[in-house]
Amino acid sequence: MNRFPVRKVAVLGAGVMGAQIAAHLVNNKVAVVLFDLPAKEGPKSGIALKAIDNLKKLKPAPLGIPEDAALIEPANYEEHLGKLGECDLVIEAIAERMDWKLDLYKRIAPAVAAHAIVASNTSGLSITKLAEALPEAIKPRFCGIHFFNPPRYMTLVELIATPTTLPEVLDQLETFVTSALGKGVVRAKDTPNFVANRVGIAGMMATMKEAENFGLGYDVVDDLTGKKMGRASSGTFRTADVVGLDTMAHVVKTMQDNLKDDPFFPLYATPPVLAKLLEQGALGQKTGAGFYKKVGKDILRLDPAKADYVPAGGKAEAIVERMLKKPAAERLKLLRESTNPQAQFLWAILRDSFHYAAVHLESIADNARDVDLAMRWGFGTKQGPFELWQDAGWQQVATWVKEDIEAGKALSKAPLPAWVFDGRTGVHTPEGSWSPARKAYVPKSTLPVYRRQPFPEALLGSGAPEPLKSGTELFKNEEIRVWTLDGEVVIASITAKLHLISPTVTEGLLKAVEIAEQGYQGLVIWSPDDVFSAGANLESLMPVFMKLGAKGIKPEEKKLQDLMLRLRYALVPVVSAMRGIALGGGCEIAVHSARRVAHMETYVGLVEVGVGLIPGGGGLTYIARRAAEMAAAGNANADIQKFLIDGFTSAAMAKVGTSAIESRKLGYLLWSDVIVPHKDELLFVAIEQAKAMAASGYRPPAKVLFPVAGRNAISTIQGQLANMRDGGFISAHDFHISTLIAEVVCGGDVDAGSLVSEEYLMAMERDRFCALLEHPKSQERIMGMLQTGKPVRN
């Protein structure tokens, strides 16, 4: 894969969006200079400095760890234009004013490096018009780059070419944005609001209009149009509040100003309720009021009839909920034929989305795949409009939409395009996705960067290979599949719900190690969804516990610990390819692997105290061993306790890394581990790591005894815990659990520096874990978690 070498990026504009783009770049170890206007008072780069400082306070956190804010270099246009010459990519992200952007381009153009790509992060302004302000030498290297907010978490980036943009420039930028920043790229046409905002905001406007038609409250609409419909949990009106009603109004105004010939033009009229909120300065979450308002702990919703806020909490009716759980074809039929207003509303907004997407596909996107992926990645929908339409039965749904248009029920009289009725069964096929402009099915991009994605995110009907049905199967039981993709590295995929670790999973992983040692280069533990493992399956052990008590659990616990040691001392490298949550036993599998390859959004921690237990699969043994290793690396006479405190605290407080970067800071990932920006590259990188380690002559670590902190360290920690208990910060049972954790990580009642084995510490873990299983307070916590999914504080 040929990479465009991006050593440093300049981000122009230190507003919320520009600063967060800068944050996402430094998360991925890309050097950044953040520019803004010179401040009138104080340091000239004060505006950028303030924006960088604010990044540490924003929620959700734009930075992997707050300390990385220091990696962003502040700058201003008066003193630092020369720094642009050091940058390979310049991203302009100032306010959505064409005149301001054009003035800035004239100012920076002489300082931009001759090879640098220049891109505008506009949400809808014409990229071609923006290019007109640039010198002829820069125009071939200029394009649009539209990140979605918040940039760290939203997958979508739209790239928009002008007539003068060189094709290789877009290829280079797509490669960088995909692999280095972990984004999903859609190439949009230079039309107002591009793809996702064009379809998504039109959908929100349609939802507002249909909600008014059917007399539904905003809270009810949000409950209906959130997770129940496979969309973002915030629904419609709450999403508008989060985005900012002024931002939404700006996107709508772009449509009003530039789409006067659009057959859906009346849809773009600003709803009176939105206009009134804007007039009052109620811009949503940023001002504390919009369609919703938080008063104390209560959430209120706007009641337009009363022009005041009333208690929220309206929900979907049970009968409609049941309809939404049906398969797509049955679901849409039930909604369309129902007399229930909520069901009629849902059919109406779905019909509107199909109608709008079909009418506009040719003008806004190259093909249907780009629309569906843009809606998935930019608006958090489970399926895009075309994908859902195809899933529900293309011709039947097309007929229903056509009938509604002819009956005057739709939002526009525009007929569905002729291609809709050409006998097709959908727009996504193994050959590609339908392009009305080309009158052909267009295959996916063949850029070399996509070869790093063995199983990229796929659309219904595309015929993409299913990971758990691919490759050569080597072993399988009810909860794990052991297979190989290339005949060189074994892959173990846990298939149990949340990838919980049961005796069946333990058996499967042991088998995977055995197979890998019989002629393969390594073992990768990977599963194709957003969970590495949520920990041990306590429920699967309940029958044993009910029959034999804790003594029946102890042998199962030892089997789990033996698995961890088997992974650690395997003759081939074991690589944990982590994504999403890796908690409890999932964390223990990872830390006992030879290497970890983690997606940026990997959340790792030992969380057993939440169910009244201590880590029992070697997690505490790992903390003790790592402390000894770090002490030895620093100074042979170093006090192990100093290196132990952070690990103890993480386990005792159930700290979870909120990014792979923070998980590394907590010690669950090491500096030798690899953080991968793109989730779909995880398996590729993990396999390559296993092969590289094997090619380097990998041997497992030698089994050695290591020193522990001993009884004095336990007493010190216990004294601090007693202060927390007496101060009301922790409960008596928290004190008890934390003391047991301290005993294990310090090695028990021994002198400081005593040498112990992993097996010795694991036996301590096992004894204390099983003792807690018998404790009434721990039993309350376990049952509470199993019944409600929430931790019990007692």
Side-chain angles (χ1 to χ4, degrees):
M1 183 179 75
N2 294 324
R3 293 181 182 272
F4 175 64
V6 179
R7 298 170 189 85
K8 186 181 284 189
V9 176
V11 177
L12 312 181
V16 173
M17 198 64 184
Q20 290 196 69
I21 291 171
H24 188 64
L25 286 160
V26 297
N27 284 340
N28 292 291
K29 298 298 174 275
V30 180
V32 182
V33 186
L34 180 61
F35 280 84
D36 211 297
L37 296 166
K40 294 177 181 176
E41 297 178 0
K44 279 285 177 70
S45 297
I47 296 173
L49 281 165
K50 185 178 179 183
I52 292 167
D53 191 53
N54 283 341
L55 287 171
K56 303 173 193 175
K57 305 166 191 171
L58 288 178
K59 298 293 179 186
L63 291 160
I65 52 173
E67 299 93 298
D68 278 357
L71 299 176
I72 304 173
E73 183 181 351
N76 66 80
Y77 303 123
E78 187 175 299
E79 298 177 310
H80 302 123
L81 280 182
K83 290 182 181 292
L84 288 174
E86 305 167 7
C87 298
D88 306 296
L89 172 62
V90 177
I91 299 174
E92 171 270 304
I94 69 169
E96 292 285 88
R97 283 272 303 266
M98 178 72 75
D99 53 342
W100 290 0
K101 289 179 186 283
L102 297 180
D103 286 345
L104 179 61
Y105 292 176
K106 289 171 185 172
R107 189 171 186 177
I108 65 159
V112 172
H115 71 283
I117 295 174
V118 180
S120 174
N121 180 65
T122 175
S123 60
L125 296 179
S126 169
I127 304 301
T128 303
K129 285 184 181 176
L130 288 171
E132 291 171 4
L134 291 166
E136 292 301 318
I138 293 181
K139 284 181 181 178
R141 294 178 280 113
F142 177 75
C143 63
I145 183 170
H146 182 208
F147 287 85
F148 273 64
N149 194 22
R152 172 182 163 187
Y153 302 97
M154 298 303 290
T155 302
L156 181 63
V157 168
E158 294 174 319
L159 296 183
I160 310 98
T162 74
T164 55
T165 306
L166 288 173
E168 57 264 35
V169 165
L170 242 60
D171 290 350
Q172 291 168 345
L173 193 54
E174 181 167 348
T175 298
F176 171 73
V177 167
T178 300
S179 197
L181 302 186
K183 296 303 174 189
V185 171
V186 165
R187 295 200 185 185
K189 295 185 178 181
D190 191 10
T191 55
N193 296 332
F194 312 129
V195 178
N197 273 344
R198 179 70 177 273
V199 176
I201 296 297
M204 291 177 75
M205 298 294 284
T207 300
M208 291 179 181
K209 192 171 185 64
E210 300 289 9
E212 187 180 349
N213 289 345
F214 289 96
L216 301 180
Y218 304 142
D219 47 356
V220 172
V221 170
D222 282 351
D223 191 51
L224 286 167
T225 60
K227 284 189 174 179
K228 291 181 175 69
M229 271 189 77
R231 298 182 177 183
S233 58
S234 50
T236 302
F237 292 97
R238 178 66 187 141
T239 296
D241 272 0
V242 170
V243 169
L245 302 188
D246 53 339
T247 303
M248 182 176 173
H250 174 81
V251 177
V252 171
K253 189 171 189 310
T254 301
M255 292 172 153
Q256 293 169 350
D257 293 345
N258 297 284
L259 296 172
K260 292 184 169 34
D261 296 331
D262 189 318
F264 286 79
F265 184 73
L267 176 63
Y268 309 144
T270 305
V273 64
L274 179 58
K276 193 166 185 179
L277 287 169
L278 292 167
E279 186 184 322
Q280 294 169 347
L283 306 180
Q285 186 172 269
K286 68 178 89 173
T287 60
F291 290 108
Y292 293 92
K293 183 178 182 180
K294 190 173 182 182
V295 180
K297 293 184 177 180
D298 297 326
I299 302 293
L300 307 180
R301 68 162 174 89
L302 181 65
D303 183 337
K306 296 181 180 177
D308 199 2
Y309 291 89
V310 299
K315 299 286 184 184
E317 292 181 22
I319 188 172
V320 179
E321 277 199 66
R322 288 197 293 274
M323 292 179 194
L324 290 174
K325 291 176 181 176
K326 301 290 185 182
E330 186 180 355
R331 183 192 328 149
L332 266 61
K333 185 175 190 296
L334 288 168
L335 293 173
R336 186 171 191 266
E337 294 177 355
S338 173
T339 56
N340 183 292
Q342 292 186 8
Q344 290 177 333
F345 159 77
L346 288 174
W347 162 251
I349 63 171
L350 289 170
R351 174 202 63 219
D352 297 340
S353 70
F354 301 147
H355 187 193
Y356 190 90
V359 168
H360 290 95
L361 173 58
E362 183 169 353
S363 64
I364 66 171
D366 177 62
N367 59 75
R369 176 179 53 251
D370 288 346
V371 172
D372 280 348
L373 289 178
M375 292 307 295
R376 261 201 210 176
W377 295 339
F379 277 78
T381 62
K382 189 176 179 182
Q383 292 180 305
F386 292 116
E387 193 178 15
L388 175 58
W389 185 348
Q390 183 165 333
D391 193 15
W394 184 269
Q395 289 301 331
Q396 178 60 78
V397 172
T399 301
W400 286 339
V401 174
K402 180 174 182 286
E403 288 172 359
D404 278 13
I405 296 169
E406 291 170 352
K409 294 178 181 178
L411 296 177
S412 168
K413 295 178 181 177
L416 289 172
W419 57 262
V420 170
F421 297 102
D422 63 5
R424 68 180 57 246
T425 57
V427 289
H428 303 306
T429 69
E431 183 186 348
S433 291
W434 179 249
S435 170
R438 302 195 207 184
K439 295 182 172 53
Y441 290 98
V442 178
K444 289 177 11 176
S445 170
T446 56
L447 278 179
V449 68
Y450 295 114
R451 294 175 202 155
R452 297 168 59 87
Q453 300 180 10
F455 301 104
E457 199 167 329
L459 295 168
L460 179 85
S462 64
E466 296 180 47
L468 297 181
K469 293 181 181 177
S470 298
T472 303
E473 195 167 284
L474 307 172
F475 171 81
K476 187 177 183 180
N477 65 25
E478 296 86 353
E479 295 185 329
I480 201 163
R481 181 181 191 241
V482 180
W483 54 294
T484 181
L485 195 57
D486 59 3
E488 297 181 48
V489 173
V490 175
I491 303 166
S493 299
I494 304 172
T495 56
K497 183 181 179 182
L498 293 176
H499 305 166
L500 294 172
I501 303 161
S502 66
T504 307
V505 171
T506 300
E507 173 207 343
L509 287 173
L510 285 168
K511 186 70 176 175
V513 175
E514 181 187 319
I515 292 169
E517 288 180 334
Q518 291 172 357
Y520 292 86
Q521 294 186 42
L523 167 64
V524 170
I525 302 172
W526 171 86
S527 297
D529 53 28
D530 279 325
V531 178
F532 180 70
S533 172
N537 188 340
L538 294 176
E539 205 165 359
S540 71
L541 297 173
M542 286 299 284
V544 177
F545 181 72
M546 297 302 289
K547 184 177 180 181
L548 300 171
K551 67 179 181 182
I553 300 298
K554 192 171 278 191
E556 297 300 331
E557 195 66 12
K558 184 164 190 314
K559 287 179 187 175
L560 180 62
Q561 293 174 334
D562 289 346
L563 165 66
M564 301 305 170
L565 293 177
R566 187 76 176 89
L567 295 173
R568 175 165 164 76
Y569 295 107
L571 293 176
V572 294
V574 177
V575 178
S576 280
M578 306 159 69
R579 171 178 158 201
I581 56 174
L583 305 177
C587 174
E588 288 167 323
I589 286 175
V591 299
H592 284 90
S593 299
R595 182 155 297 170
R596 287 136 298 276
V597 174
H599 178 236
M600 174 64 71
E601 299 308 322
T602 304
Y603 310 102
V604 191
L606 296 169
V607 296
E608 285 82 353
V609 296
V611 288
L613 299 172
I614 66 168
L620 300 183
T621 299
Y622 166 79
I623 289 171
R625 176 173 57 77
R626 280 287 298 148
E629 290 169 352
M630 289 189 290
N635 184 332
N637 299 314
D639 180 0
I640 295 171
Q641 185 179 329
K642 292 177 183 175
F643 296 90
L644 189 66
I645 292 300
D646 286 346
F648 162 78
T649 304
S650 295
M653 296 182 65
K655 280 189 179 180
V656 175
T658 56
S659 66
I661 300 171
E662 188 178 9
S663 297
R664 177 185 274 161
K665 184 181 173 185
L666 293 177
Y668 298 132
L669 270 67
L670 307 180
W671 281 103
S672 55
D673 295 330
V674 181
I675 296 176
V676 178
H678 202 296
K679 64 181 176 60
D680 292 338
E681 291 188 2
L682 194 61
L683 180 58
F684 170 84
V685 175
I687 289 173
E688 292 300 309
Q689 286 288 310
K691 288 180 180 178
M693 292 169 77
S696 301
Y698 176 81
R699 294 289 300 171
K703 273 201 171 192
V704 296
L705 302 179
F706 52 88
V708 288
R711 66 176 71 86
N712 290 343
I714 297 172
S715 297
T716 302
I717 293 171
Q718 205 167 13
Q720 294 168 344
L721 291 170
N723 290 335
M724 294 179 71
R725 179 197 60 201
D726 297 344
F729 297 103
I730 61 174
S731 70
H733 195 49
D734 291 328
F735 173 83
H736 176 57
I737 297 169
S738 297
T739 298
L740 297 182
I741 291 174
E743 288 174 3
V744 178
V745 298
C746 295
D749 188 16
V750 297
D751 294 333
S754 295
L755 298 178
V756 302
S757 67
E758 288 166 297
E759 288 85 354
Y760 166 83
L761 290 177
M762 284 183 172
M764 291 181 69
E765 279 188 32
R766 208 159 54 239
D767 290 343
R768 286 154 179 78
F769 181 91
C770 291
L772 282 169
L773 282 174
E774 302 277 15
H775 198 295
K777 293 284 188 184
S778 287
Q779 290 176 358
E780 283 179 23
R781 291 191 183 189
I782 293 169
M783 293 310 297
M785 180 62 77
L786 291 176
Q787 289 169 1
T788 68
K790 296 178 181 178
V792 174
R793 294 305 306 272
N794 57 2

